[in-house]
Amino acid sequence: MSDLSATVSETKNGFHVDGYEKISYDFTFLDGVFNVANPQLAECYKRWGRVLAVTDLNVYNIYGEQIERYFEHYGLTLKVHKTKIGEKAKTVPTFLSIVDSMTEFGIYRKEPVLVVGGGLVTDVAGFACAAYRRNTNFIRVPTTVIGLIDASVSIKVAVNYGNYKNRLGAYHAPIHTFLDFTFLRTLPTAQIRNGFAELIKISTCSHLDTFNLLDKYCEELIETGFGRTDGASREVRVAADQINKDGIHEMLKLETPNLHEIGLDRVIAYGHTWSPMHELVPETPLRHGHAISIDMAYSATLANSRKLISDVEHRRILDLFSRAGLSMDHPQFDEEILDKGTAAILKTRDGKLRAAVPSPLGSCKFLNDVDSEELNAALRRHKKIMKQYPRNGQGIEAYVDASDTGYTENNNTEVKAIETAAKEAGDLNGNSVIHGGSVPNGYVNGTNGLMEKLASGNGTVDGLSNGVNGFVNGSRA
């Protein structure tokens, strides 16, 4: 929700306007947001007596009956717009389908749309709300680790256009975000691990206490869905709650002064200097969390080479990635890729590298004075260090599969192409192929929005814009 105040003054040749927008929105931690014993969400809709919900189909298949019972209990009429949404369906047609549902529902400008799902769903539905009558409210209920920990902090909403990631979008804050970590009970372990990387990111450069807790409980946090699965100890649950609260709070403190990303020195960009290249280069794309982990691990080695972190701190960081099963290296991470990634990010960051690195552990420094000789020397050293780690620093279940890609309705060509990619990823990850967009054991559809780049027609890397492995609209070029 926002309020605008402005003044108008006369100038010699016309007028000058100064406008200031107040942005105000809330976060509520609430396990069991759709439990009828918890009226908080329903109270947001009492005035309207009805709810238009936009959700991922896989989320609805697991939680749909519970959602329907919840609103029926509170006497609220519910209409659900279900979408199969993945990176390839984060498109203008998907956006327009949500707009059509809003029109059919007859949504009022201040009536909030309920958005339930991972980052892709909240991105596209949030953009539909931003565009509909130029400003329609929405309430966000994220269902993935990335959605809960990272995407929930941002007010960015967007769709992909052509071969470009988030080319059309806006800055549009939800009026409320409900953070329900019980959704992690049905999230695959590979996706828990994937989201774990984002917590390493913020803690390494900005919150040492959180890093210490991640270090202490690493394996248990991943195995128990941050203490939410049956059999998880109270100790792990308490630690997980502290980690999640402090991690989100820290990111909010860092990001809220820069919601529109006017400032380019961003602590939360640790791990995002070279990671787009790691997502683009492999034949089967790396998951986002693994790509940024390679970047973070290499950046830690660079920081250690500069004596910004001690040898002990350096090893703590690398050991945590390894224990979490996150990637720290990839066979195709070489000096050529490093050079291309550096050249690309310089364009994005206004001619400066602005590489966020720990200095010391728990704090951040931005590097701008690094030349290619120093970067390459750090990479050679990093490669040698990786030989001391399991799998030579490569991660567990590091490659995308069907829980990352998503599916669209009535598009057999796209489904076939994605299933092929999912089979390749399944073979690499030691998993069997997943068909038809469903995930075994009732798992929710992945992290919904981890891929940072779309596929391009020629499968080549073009700065930060173009994409992954030569897919065009779900078909291999």
Side-chain angles (χ1 to χ4, degrees), residues 409-427:
E409 296 282 2
N410 302 321
N411 190 337
N412 293 330
T413 301
E414 178 168 333
V415 169
K416 182 178 179 181
I418 296 175
E419 285 187 347
T420 300
K423 183 181 186 304
E424 293 173 0
D427 292 341

Side-chain angles (χ1 to χ4, degrees), residues 13 16 29 56 72 105 136 155 163-164 172 202-203 242 296 301 320 345 427 444:
N13 298 314
H16 177 76
F29 289 86
D56 177 86
E72 182 181 0
F105 189 76
T136 297
I155 67 168
N163 291 325
Y164 297 90
H172 185 54
I202 192 62
S203 63
Q242 191 66 50
M296 287 188 281
T301 299
L320 181 56
I345 204 65
D427 292 341
V444 176

Side-chain angles (χ1 to χ4, degrees), residues 153-164:
V153 173
S154 172
I155 67 168
K156 296 180 290 184
V157 292
V159 296
N160 303 322
Y161 183 69
N163 291 325
Y164 297 90

